[in-house]
Amino acid sequence: MKKYNALKIKQPFGEYYVISMSAFDLLSISFSDPLRYDETGELRGNQRKIREDRIREISEYIKGTDVAFPNSIIISSNYMEDGTLCDDIDLRWSIQQEGDLYSVIIPTSNKLASIIDGQHRLNGFRNVSEERQKEIQLLVCIYFDLPNPLQAYIFATINYNQKPVDKSLALEQWGFSLQTDDSKSWSPEMLAVFLSKKLNTEKESPFYRRIVVAPLNDDYLFKEEPINNIDKWEVSTSSIVDSIVRLISKNPKTDLNKLRQLEIKQRKREYLENYSGTPLRSYYLNYNDLLIYKIIENYLIAVNNEIFSIKTEKTTYIKRTVGIQALFIVLKEILNRELEEKKDISVEYFSNKMKSISEIDFTDNFFTASGIGKTRIKNTILLKLNYLKIGDISNQLEISEYLRFIK
């Protein structure tokens, strides 16, 4: 494990952290995937193509005696090389705060840092000695848990006015086209980013100004305000995006790759496969984005009215990351079981579901802010809704605990 002193930078887009790290360390934990077309015509990656001649020039410069790299390398942490979010708590990078001081904690040497900007500068160090790599410190800006479409957005924003970058190519991968009908070609993750932003900016939304570009870990999200302050809670962008994606896609990576295989003007969601088990899949394929949003919004309004509004003097896990993720899993279960039959997506319908849930004491020590806590919250709610039977609980030692909440 390594610990780096950090500065927190607040900007309208979101917060990031600035640290000093040796080129050697950054090379060992980061990766980049150049944007290019493969032999099948499929577009891959999220970076400009590496220019070996430029790498060589930078390498020669690094070998000199008066090296200076004042510009930062920008990365997004906690993403794996296949583009998926790392949810293994033992591998994830995190933030620690002590008073006004911050630290970035990197527990392993796993490659969990996607390079957003600065890949040529960093790769220039691959052709110099290890001693030189360890000697030179680099300025590193770290975004935590930043979804891939937003990584591409930052890259394009930074490089738009620089001639070496073709903005259309840089934006194309994630659907950030300049044409008005681009939403038809949005991947599931791209739509989820759009909907999460809408939830965060619409004043009628119960998540208005509560979805932040920030680390996924609850210790960060709840560090400044006591959890028992009902008006002070936040959730990370990546958590909401991932939860929405699960309502419209079983495999978002496969969907994205299939869209890329089509010519740009033919790239439309309707050509993707439809299947059961993902309740809002057909709405996504038929461009019913407003309906998808309304379902999610109405459900969250009901949750807010029936559950979040309950005042408590102790930590309530239902308003933490594990609780909100569990609530989205419950929404998926409700929709899978009843949407087609009842055709009801009203606030009143969801409120009737949530009334019995409001009886559950989510401040109980049985619920924790960990992965097992999410499972326990989800199971307890599903038991209360009669979607799950007590005999379905695999951990026999926990059955007596569940029975306390469903009597």
Side-chain angles (χ1 to χ4, degrees), residues 150-374:
L150 297 183
Q151 294 179 36
Y153 170 77
I154 290 179
F155 170 76
T157 300
I158 291 171
N159 293 288
Y160 176 43
N161 293 318
Q162 298 184 24
K163 291 181 180 179
V165 180
D166 180 338
K167 185 178 182 183
S168 296
L169 185 62
L171 298 183
E172 183 179 311
Q173 179 191 10
W174 291 108
F176 285 104
S177 180
L178 304 179
Q179 300 178 15
T180 57
D181 62 349
D182 286 341
S183 61
K184 293 181 179 180
S185 65
W186 281 355
S187 68
E189 190 176 31
M190 190 59 228
L191 176 59
V193 168
F194 171 79
L195 295 179
S196 68
K197 183 177 180 181
K198 189 174 177 65
L199 284 170
N200 194 45
T201 56
E202 295 286 340
K203 291 185 178 180
E204 297 78 12
S205 166
F207 278 27
Y208 175 59
R209 292 185 176 177
R210 297 190 187 278
I211 302 174
V212 296
V213 174
L216 191 63
N217 53 303
D218 278 356
D219 289 341
Y220 172 86
L221 290 169
F222 293 98
K223 67 184 182 304
E224 294 179 349
E225 298 289 344
I227 189 63
N228 60 9
N229 186 334
I230 192 171
D231 294 323
K232 298 293 183 181
W233 59 272
E234 292 177 334
V235 63
S236 71
T237 297
S238 60
S239 181
I240 296 298
V241 168
D242 186 61
S243 295
I244 294 175
V245 164
R246 293 174 189 273
L247 298 174
I248 59 179
S249 178
K250 289 181 180 178
N251 194 326
K253 189 73 173 178
T254 297
D255 286 339
L256 177 60
N257 287 336
K258 287 182 178 178
L259 286 171
R260 289 176 183 162
Q261 291 171 8
L262 300 171
E263 295 292 334
I264 296 175
K265 292 183 179 180
Q266 298 175 340
R267 200 171 291 174
K268 292 180 172 58
R269 309 177 209 170
E270 63 192 74
Y271 296 123
L272 297 176
E273 177 188 1
N274 197 3
Y275 41 69
S276 60
T278 307
L280 302 183
R281 178 69 172 182
S282 62
Y283 298 155
Y284 162 72
L285 298 180
N286 291 314
Y287 316 120
N288 287 329
D289 299 347
L290 181 59
L291 184 56
I292 294 173
Y293 177 78
K294 202 62 184 174
I295 291 171
I296 295 171
E297 182 189 42
N298 285 354
Y299 174 72
L300 294 177
I301 289 173
V303 166
N304 189 59
N305 293 343
E306 304 297 335
I307 302 176
F308 285 3
S309 61
I310 298 174
K311 293 185 179 180
T312 175
E313 297 300 322
K314 296 190 298 181
T315 297
T316 175
Y317 294 102
I318 196 64
K319 289 166 64 175
R320 308 196 83 168
T321 299
V322 291
I324 292 170
Q325 289 175 328
L327 284 166
F328 270 93
I329 296 173
V330 170
L331 172 60
K332 181 178 179 180
E333 191 68 21
I334 292 172
L335 296 175
N336 271 331
R337 288 172 177 263
E338 302 184 19
L339 179 60
E340 289 303 313
E341 177 185 352
K342 298 190 175 180
K343 307 290 186 183
D344 194 346
I345 63 167
S346 65
V347 173
E348 291 74 20
Y349 168 75
F350 288 123
S351 291
N352 288 333
K353 292 286 184 184
M354 294 298 109
K355 285 186 187 301
S356 63
I357 311 305
S358 64
E359 302 170 358
I360 301 172
D361 180 10
F362 290 107
T363 69
D364 193 278
N365 289 333
F366 180 60
F367 306 115
T368 66
S370 64
I372 189 64
K374 178 173 69 174

Side-chain angles (χ1 to χ4, degrees), residues 14-44:
E15 298 177 355
Y16 61 90
Y17 294 81
V18 179
I19 68 171
S20 172
M21 179 185 288
S22 73
F24 178 84
D25 286 343
L26 186 55
L27 280 169
S28 67
I29 58 176
S30 65
F31 63 89
S32 63
D33 191 9
L35 192 70
R36 78 279 185 193
Y37 289 96
D38 64 14
E39 63 277 4
T40 67
E42 182 178 343
L43 188 62
R44 295 185 179 277

Side-chain angles (χ1 to χ4, degrees), residues 50-64 67 69 120-121 123-125 127-128:
I50 290 180
R51 289 174 46 196
E52 293 299 333
D53 58 335
R54 191 175 177 206
I55 296 293
R56 288 192 294 271
E57 290 176 358
I58 294 174
S59 298
E60 291 304 311
Y61 171 71
I62 293 171
K63 295 173 184 178
V67 180
F69 285 100
H120 282 92
R121 275 167 285 156
N123 276 285
F125 282 90
N127 300 326
V128 302

